[in-house]
């Protein structure tokens, strides 16, 4: 039977999102978004019911990391929308293109009605790149603007408030907006480009620092080729891990969070006679990376997607341009002179020695056993906490987005929903999530979502019944342990209660067996790895 129903404003929005590659939406419905969810389904976008809006946003991000399409989060009015503020700010700081659709009371109704009425656009304005009120007469333009703003430059979240009556309002046939991406920008000939080339031609000890901009511009191959041509070692931020495979001779892994790693990596910058920031966005970095070089005494070339308003560092030459195109332009006609000798190989050995893998049992043993047992190409997610610092140094990524985490905002509870989203979008891949027990308990209810989606993700939980990183900081400050220890429940039993498999392990052999069993499952598995509360001392 032919569908003669007239197109609605929500249909226009849903179809534009589908053309942008969106296939999944995540959230919790309310009466205010039912017409919107129905339109998404008609467009071919599956709505996934999460158990909390914050977790729904991370599931959406997990899908984005596998598909490249904007993450889509749907919230109902009032408390539903406000529950999402954390994950939306996380998307802003982690440069994740996210479309946030919130149901809204119609303006005429709100004039004489107060229940759950608040200015949601004002709430989202400081944590998004833009916020719109959806309008039937401008539905196509608003939908296209939202996608464009979310994905262009430094990606980020865009919010659309969708009044109830607007979503279901009929709209006449209109020309469809579908703006094409601009061509990659590269520096024009001139003084800055000439200066940068002179510095590159004279450099014997160049260093590359790469980050989120480079990852979002898919600049890995360009950076690798440039690094190989000029013999330049590459330091990465955590989120950009794997943009150059970490088994590459010039890859020095990630920096910015582990004091042990930074004590080895920062001196290399002091030895460099040229520093190239290739898509380096310092939003992930800590205080040790504030002014890590003096741009008045060492040449620094900064290639970014947005102007430097952060002032975490300065550079002698700044290009707001595409990272890959700029490196190719910079290298034209320049003869390499690299003379690092064996310095980089020695530094890689020192970094490996700083994070040994051979302990009998503890957090490093858990990570090492997982890396050994799980097949190459396994996707990983990491929650915030002490384990993330260690994991991010030890887990080797051979592809971008192979380790997903919250690096800008550092939100606890992100690893489980990130893994659910990644597993949903890439069912052919093994996915493992690493959480501390406190972060895991924040989102344990999402195991119900994993069960409903029948995802065989593996959730590894470091069980020490403590906020280990905060406890370590208290002791480093000479303070008594206070407010960091708790009586932990049976984590494995929680997994079984939600319909998955659950194992408690206390040594490498038990963990190995649990991982083998998990890979044979068609449902999710929770592995509770019990470690001592002080296991991270001296390791970070």
């Amino acid at each position: 039977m032919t569908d003669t129903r007239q197109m609605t404003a929500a249909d226009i929005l849903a179809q534009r999102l589908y053309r942008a590659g969106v296939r999944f939406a995540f959230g919790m419905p309310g009466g205010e978004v039912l017409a919107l969810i129905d339109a998404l389904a008609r467009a071919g976008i599956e709505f996934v019911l999460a158990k909390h809006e914050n977790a729904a946003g991370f599931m959406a991000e997990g899908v984005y990391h596998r598909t490249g399409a904007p993450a889509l989060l749907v919230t109902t009015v009032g408390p539903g929308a406000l529950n999402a503020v954390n994950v939306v700010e996380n998307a802003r700081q982690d440069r994740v293109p996210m479309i946030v659709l919130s149901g809204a009371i119609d303006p005429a109704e709100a004039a004489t009605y107060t229940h759950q009425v608040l200015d949601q656009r004002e709430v989202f304005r400081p944590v998004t790149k833009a916020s719109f009120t959806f309008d039937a007469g401008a539905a196509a333009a608003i939908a296209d603007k939202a996608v464009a703003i979310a994905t262009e430059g430094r990606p980020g979240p865009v919010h659309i408030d969708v009044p109830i009556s607007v979503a279901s309002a009929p709209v006449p046939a209109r020309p469809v907006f579908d703006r094409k991406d601009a061509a990659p920008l590269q520096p024009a000939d001139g003084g800055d480009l000439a200066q940068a080339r002179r510095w590159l031609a004279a450099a014997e000890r160049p260093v590359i620092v790469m980050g989120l901009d480079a990852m979002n511009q898919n600049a890995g191959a360009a950076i690798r080729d440039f690094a190989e041509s000029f013999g330049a070692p590459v330091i990465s931020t955590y989120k950009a891990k794997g943009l150059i495979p970490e088994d590459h001779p010039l890859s020095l892994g990630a920096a910015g969070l582990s004091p042990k790693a930074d004590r080895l990596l920062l001196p290399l910058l002091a030895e460099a006679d040229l520093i190239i920031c290739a898509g380096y966005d310092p939003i992930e970095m800590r205080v040790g990376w504030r002014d890590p070089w003096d741009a008045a005494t060492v040449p620094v070339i900064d290639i970014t997607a947005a102007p430097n308003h952060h002032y975490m560092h300065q550079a002698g030459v700044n290009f707001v341009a595409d990272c890959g195109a700029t490196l190719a332009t910079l290298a034209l006609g320049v003869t390499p002179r690299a003379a690092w000798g064996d310095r980089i190989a020695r530094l890689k050995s020192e970094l490996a020695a700083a994070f040994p893998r051979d302990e009998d049992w503890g957090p490093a043993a858990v990570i090492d056993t997982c890396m050994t047992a799980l097949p190459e190409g396994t996707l990983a997610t990491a929650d915030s906490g002490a384990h993330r610092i260690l994991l991010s140094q030890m887990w080797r990524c051979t592809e971008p987005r192979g380790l997903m985490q919250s690096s800008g905002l550092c939100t606890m509870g992100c690893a489980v929903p990130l893994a659910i989203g990644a597993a949903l979008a890439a069912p052919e891949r093994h996915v493992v999530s690493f959480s501390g027990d406190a972060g895991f308990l924040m989102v344990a209810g999402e195991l119900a979502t994993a069960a409903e989606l029948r995802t065989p993700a593996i959730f590894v939980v470091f069980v020490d019944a403590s906020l280990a990183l905060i406890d370590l900081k208290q002791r480093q400050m000479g303070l008594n342990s206070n407010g960091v220890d708790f009586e932990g429940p049976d984590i494995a039993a929680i997994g079984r209660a939600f319909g998955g498999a659950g194992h408690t392990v206390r040594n490498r052999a038990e963990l190995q067996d649990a991982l083998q069993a998990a890979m044979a499952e068609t449902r999710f598995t929770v592995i509770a790895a019990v470690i001592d509360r002080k296991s991270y001392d001296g390791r970070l």
Side-chain angles (χ1 to χ4, degrees), residues 209-235:
V209 184
M210 69 178 183
L212 268 168
D213 287 351
M215 186 180 73
N216 287 327
Q217 293 171 355
N218 299 313
I223 294 174
R224 184 197 62 231
D225 292 346
F226 185 93
E228 290 174 349
S229 295
F230 290 91
V234 181
I235 299 170

Side-chain angles (χ1 to χ4, degrees), residues 310-340:
H310 52 71
Y311 282 63
M312 280 278 287
H313 65 257
Q314 296 299 327
V317 172
N318 294 273
F319 298 120
V320 178
D322 180 84
C323 185
T326 300
L327 289 175
T329 300
L330 185 61
L332 287 174
V334 178
T335 301
R337 300 182 58 204
W340 278 110

Side-chain angles (χ1 to χ4, degrees), residues 87-119:
V87 75
V88 174
E89 171 63 6
N90 184 86
R92 188 187 72 84
Q93 294 204 26
D94 274 16
R95 317 311 191 196
V96 174
M98 176 180 287
I99 307 297
V100 184
L101 307 179
S102 61
I105 303 296
D106 290 322
E109 180 78 358
T112 58
Y113 185 70
T114 56
H115 180 64
Q116 291 188 324
V117 174
L118 72 153
D119 191 338

Side-chain angles (χ1 to χ4, degrees), residues 24-154:
F24 296 99
F26 298 84
M28 294 193 73
E32 298 78 13
V33 293
L34 296 182
L36 181 59
I37 292 173
D38 192 52
L40 292 173
R42 285 194 298 273
I45 298 174
E46 179 183 347
F47 181 82
V48 176
L49 172 63
K51 307 306 172 280
H52 193 282
E53 289 82 359
N54 197 55
F58 280 114
M59 290 179 202
E61 180 185 338
V63 170
Y64 154 70
H65 285 305
R66 302 320 311 161
T67 68
L72 179 55
L73 173 61
V74 179
T75 81
T76 191
V77 69
L82 267 62
N83 272 348
V85 170
N86 180 293
V87 75
V88 174
E89 171 63 6
N90 184 86
R92 188 187 72 84
Q93 294 204 26
D94 274 16
R95 317 311 191 196
V96 174
M98 176 180 287
I99 307 297
V100 184
L101 307 179
S102 61
I105 303 296
D106 290 322
E109 180 78 358
T112 58
Y113 185 70
T114 56
H115 180 64
Q116 291 188 324
V117 174
L118 72 153
D119 191 338
Q120 294 175 173
R121 286 190 62 190
E122 196 62 27
V123 169
F124 283 107
R125 198 182 311 275
V127 297
T128 58
K129 294 180 73 177
S131 179
F132 299 93
T133 296
F134 202 47
D135 182 89
I142 291 172
D144 194 62
K145 283 184 179 183
V147 172
I149 294 170
T151 55
E152 69 188 5
R154 278 190 176 142

Side-chain angles (χ1 to χ4, degrees), residues 198-259:
R198 285 194 295 270
W199 285 344
L200 180 60
E204 295 184 349
R205 297 181 306 281
V207 173
I208 297 171
V209 184
M210 69 178 183
L212 268 168
D213 287 351
M215 186 180 73
N216 287 327
Q217 293 171 355
N218 299 313
I223 294 174
R224 184 197 62 231
D225 292 346
F226 185 93
E228 290 174 349
S229 295
F230 290 91
V234 181
I235 299 170
S236 171
T237 66
Y238 278 9
K239 203 85 170 184
K241 276 172 66 71
L243 195 54
I244 288 180
E246 291 189 301
D247 55 4
H248 192 286
L250 291 171
S251 174
L252 295 175
L257 183 55
S258 165

